[in-house]
Amino acid sequence: MIRIENLKKEYPNAIPLENVNVTINNGDVISVIGPSGTGKSTLIRCINLLEKPTSGRIFLDDTEITDPGCNLQEVHKKMGMVFQSFNLFGHMTVVENIMAPAMDILGKGAQEAYDEAMRLLRTVGLYDKALSWPDELSGGQKQRVAIARTLAMNPDVILLDEPTSALDPTMVGEVQAVIRDLASSGKTMMIVTHEMSFARAISNRIFFMDEGGIYEEGTPEEIFDNPKKEKTRRFVKRLKVIEIDIDSKTYDYLGTQSLIEDYCVKNQVPYKLAKQIHLAFEEAVHQCIVNTMDKPMVHLSIEYSEEKENAAFVLWYGGEQYDLFEDGDEISVSILKKIVRDEKYSRDDNKELGNNVVFCIG
Ligand SMILES: Nc1ncnc2c1ncn2[C@@H]1O[C@H](COP(=O)(O)OP(=O)(O)O)[C@@H](O)[C@H]1O
Ligand SMILES: [Mg+2]
């Protein structure tokens, strides 16, 4: 079991982890997902003490491994790490690469280390490569050797940081298959990955990282199918979002349209959908809201889904109860109705921007 208390990691120019509190149970297989730069590697490196936390404590079973007196080598025996770039020794054969740490660190004899290495090579499907040199292997094969080398230490916990992201797409599957077997063997694992369907298949818990920590965690069903928080939802649905705020009648209309244009180009929104997004902005936001109010206050998110090739408008605006599809300008509404679907209005008197309209385009 690993218990993390108030973990903080600060670099001169970034604080990737502000306050992480979490417990990893024996047998957990945890996938860590999230946008790049949100501290996924930092978290895994702090757990393994490859980075020194700025503050906070980490316990492995009942030992505080962040205690200055803690024996690092003992920690590294119990926690194995698999890196994106396999780090095999080029001057050793495959089998020697796997034997070396077991002999040097665990003090195993050569025969025992060899027998174990050969058994592990069989489990990762590389028995016939025992006497090859790392240079003779493909990336996928090298990563399988690196996993076997980690397993040779028989660690209680295995940490993997994007183990397939340096591989050609054709080799991802063979490495994932090895990791999947390992996950179902009951080993405690934590794996940083961008492969969501893989994460869903192997994990019992998902950590979504953002805003300096574990922003949301849950089972794969909870995180991928029913995320509770907005950023998680946008990430797992791979939504491309633009947010627009308008607080005056004399806002920069052309500038806003060109922001939307840039957003569509950058995210490769199909041409027809992009035109409809511009039109929907013009009719719904500009004509029906801004032009009809003395002091318009609008917050708009446009969420483009590449997968579904559609876009959602989520509009919040101030003022009295006003459903733009019911009460808006007739011509604008008739234009809108040709391009939108699933429109929904709701009212929340407790909010400053109390009117909410959501609709879908495409
Ligand atoms: N050794 C380092 N020195 C300074 N800044 C770092 C170092 N490692 C990571 N960072 C910064 O910490 C943040 C999180 O990095 P990282 O944990 O690698 O994110 P992720 O793995 O989620 O992409 C980034 O802003 C990164 O630039
Ligand atoms: Mg990383």
Side-chain angles (χ1 to χ4, degrees):
M1 192 188 78
I2 297 169
R3 197 168 80 246
I4 300 174
E5 288 179 358
N6 306 324
L7 177 68
K8 175 173 181 178
K9 177 67 190 178
E10 189 170 355
Y11 294 113
N13 294 314
I15 309 178
L17 305 176
E18 270 178 293
N19 187 14
V20 177
N21 289 283
V22 78
T23 298
I24 298 162
N25 303 307
N26 292 338
D28 269 351
V29 176
I30 298 172
S31 287
V32 182
I33 62 170
S36 92
T38 51
K40 303 180 296 297
S41 296
T42 304
L43 176 63
I44 224 166
R45 294 170 65 83
C46 282
I47 293 176
N48 202 20
L49 300 182
L50 292 172
E51 295 284 351
K52 190 175 160 8
T54 306
S55 59
R57 305 198 297 172
I58 302 173
F59 294 85
L60 176 60
D61 298 324
D62 290 323
T63 312
E64 188 196 334
I65 62 175
T66 35
D67 186 299
C70 179
N71 182 336
L72 267 183
Q73 197 168 63
E74 286 304 312
V75 174
H76 288 145
K77 274 187 203 171
K78 290 187 178 168
M79 282 198 267
M81 177 98 175
V82 175
F83 300 90
Q84 185 179 337
S85 54
F86 344 105
N87 305 341
L88 299 179
F89 293 119
H91 64 284
M92 292 182 185
T93 60
V94 163
V95 69
E96 286 168 342
N97 261 283
I98 301 172
M99 292 164 66
M103 292 170 68
D104 296 348
I105 300 171
L106 298 184
K108 284 192 179 175
Q111 184 66 46
E112 193 191 350
Y114 174 82
D115 292 344
E116 180 64 4
M118 293 308 285
R119 186 187 72 77
L120 288 166
L121 277 174
R122 186 174 282 124
T123 67
V124 300
L126 291 171
Y127 191 75
D128 57 338
K129 298 288 183 197
L131 298 179
S132 300
W133 300 97
D135 274 354
E136 298 166 346
L137 304 183
S138 71
Q141 291 170 331
K142 280 185 208 165
Q143 190 59 302
R144 282 144 69 197
V145 173
I147 293 171
R149 181 185 51 184
T150 302
L151 291 174
M153 298 291 292
N154 195 25
D156 297 335
V157 182
I158 300 185
L159 308 169
L160 305 99
D161 192 358
E162 300 200 29
T164 61
S165 64
L167 302 177
D168 281 350
T170 52
M171 291 163 196
V172 169
E174 65 192 47
V175 174
Q176 286 184 343
V178 167
I179 297 170
R180 185 174 288 142
D181 284 349
L182 204 55
S184 55
S185 75
K187 198 59 102 184
T188 307
M189 288 168 57
M190 190 159 173
I191 171 169
V192 178
T193 182
H194 288 291
E195 318 272 342
M196 307 246 206
S197 54
F198 177 62
R200 181 195 280 262
I202 63 164
S203 315
N204 65 321
R205 296 168 76 187
I206 308 286
F207 292 177
F208 172 75
M209 302 218 23
D210 209 333
E211 293 188 6
I214 300 169
Y215 177 83
E216 183 167 353
E217 82 139 299
T219 64
E221 291 72 29
E222 285 166 341
I223 297 297
F224 292 119
D225 300 335
N226 299 299
K228 290 198 181 69
K229 296 170 96 175
E230 199 52 30
K231 284 194 177 176
T232 319
R233 188 178 68 84
R234 287 175 181 174
F235 184 82
V236 300
K237 308 278 182 212
R238 296 176 197 280
L239 300 179
K240 309 293 182 207
V241 182
I242 182 174
E243 314 236 12
I244 293 167
D245 287 290
I246 296 170
D247 59 6
S248 140
K249 257 187 136 49
T250 56
Y251 77 108
D252 181 3
Y253 170 78
L254 289 175
T256 307
Q257 284 284 19
S258 82
L259 278 181
I260 296 175
E261 171 96 53
D262 292 347
Y263 155 82
C264 288
V265 169
K266 183 173 137 224
N267 295 300
Q268 298 176 321
V269 178
Y271 178 72
K272 185 173 162 222
L273 183 59
K275 280 194 75 158
Q276 292 176 336
I277 289 173
H278 281 284
L279 189 59
F281 176 79
E282 166 77 28
E283 301 303 338
V285 181
H286 189 72
Q287 299 294 353
C288 289
I289 301 175
V290 178
N291 274 356
T292 61
M293 293 183 186
D294 292 337
K295 284 198 165 62
M297 294 278 278
V298 181
H299 179 78
L300 165 67
S301 312
I302 305 174
E303 303 178 342
Y304 166 58
S305 163
E306 192 179 12
E307 188 190 8
K308 295 189 179 148
E309 275 208 16
N310 66 21
F313 268 53
V314 181
L315 251 172
W316 292 93
Y317 47 96
E320 301 291 298
Q321 170 147 350
Y322 174 78
D323 174 357
L324 71 89
F325 282 98
E326 286 291 323
D327 313 320
D329 174 78
E330 245 175 67
I331 295 172
S332 290
V333 170
S334 75
I335 294 171
L336 278 172
K337 290 223 160 141
K338 289 199 182 97
I339 58 169
V340 315
R341 59 187 165 80
D342 302 337
E343 66 268 22
K344 211 178 108 226
Y345 171 80
S346 64
R347 170 83 198 168
D348 183 345
D349 284 324
N350 296 320
K351 288 205 164 107
E352 199 192 343
L353 305 183
N355 297 293
N356 177 226
V357 162
V358 181
F359 57 81
C360 190
I361 309 172

